[in-house]
Amino acid sequence: MRIPKPIKSLQREDGTVKEVMTANYTPKNFRRIFPNQAFPVLSLFANKPTQIVLYLMANADSNNMIYATYKSIMEDCQVTDKKTVARVLKQLQEAQCIVEVSTSHYMLNPAIILQGNDQKFGLLACQFNDLLDAKRAKNKKTKKQEES
C-alpha cells in the first residue's frame, strides 16, 4: 500500500499563516457533492478501510470534529476486527488526515473536507495545526523520557 504524502501545512515554520488563495468559480470548474447522498453510494464499492474513512467524513460536525469510539465505528462500518479500525486510524494520523484530540475524539483535516467558507477554513486549519504541534511535542517529550 502506498503511503500518502502529508498534507502541506498552512502554518510556516516561523509561526505565521500562509495566505489562502481562492479561485473564481464558474460552472465549468465548480462541482457540488452532497456527502449524505454520495458517501453511502461510495461505501457500496469500498473496502473496509475506505468505509472507515467515509464514515469519519460523514460523521464530522461543522467544526470537523469526530466523536466516535472503536465500537461505534466497527458497528456502523460492519468491521469485525478492532485491529483494522486501530490500523486505519493510525495510518490516517500518520498521513495528517486526522489528529486525535482525546479518546474517541478526532479532528478531520480541513484540507480534506470542510463545511464553510475560506475564513472558516483558515480558522480550522490553524486549530488543526495547533493540535498537530501539541501532539508532536507530547510525542517528543515521551521519547525523551523513555530514553532517560
Side-chain angles (χ1 to χ4, degrees), residues 10 12 17-23 117-119 121-123 125:
L10 284 177
R12 294 185 181 111
V17 178
K18 296 176 186 175
E19 186 175 329
V20 177
M21 300 295 291
T22 58
N117 57 19
D118 292 340
Q119 183 180 6
F121 173 76
L123 293 171

Side-chain angles (χ1 to χ4, degrees), residues 10-59:
L10 284 177
Q11 196 168 8
R12 294 185 181 111
E13 289 182 21
D14 63 358
T16 59
V17 178
K18 296 176 186 175
E19 186 175 329
V20 177
M21 300 295 291
T22 58
N24 290 329
Y25 296 111
T26 66
K28 286 186 177 183
N29 69 0
F30 183 75
R31 299 285 187 263
R32 294 190 310 181
I33 184 169
F34 299 98
N36 58 340
Q37 300 295 321
F39 292 163
V41 173
L42 292 172
S43 69
L44 294 173
F45 307 99
N47 58 16
K48 295 301 179 188
T50 306
Q51 286 180 350
I52 293 169
V53 172
L54 291 171
Y55 172 83
L56 295 175
M57 293 170 122
N59 288 290

Side-chain angles (χ1 to χ4, degrees), residues 94-121:
E94 288 172 355
Q96 296 181 358
C97 294
I98 62 171
V99 65
E100 186 176 24
V101 178
S102 64
T103 305
S104 303
H105 181 192
Y106 304 90
M107 183 177 187
L108 183 63
N109 191 329
I112 294 173
I113 191 169
L114 171 74
Q115 179 182 345
N117 57 19
D118 292 340
Q119 183 180 6
K120 187 167 185 181
F121 173 76

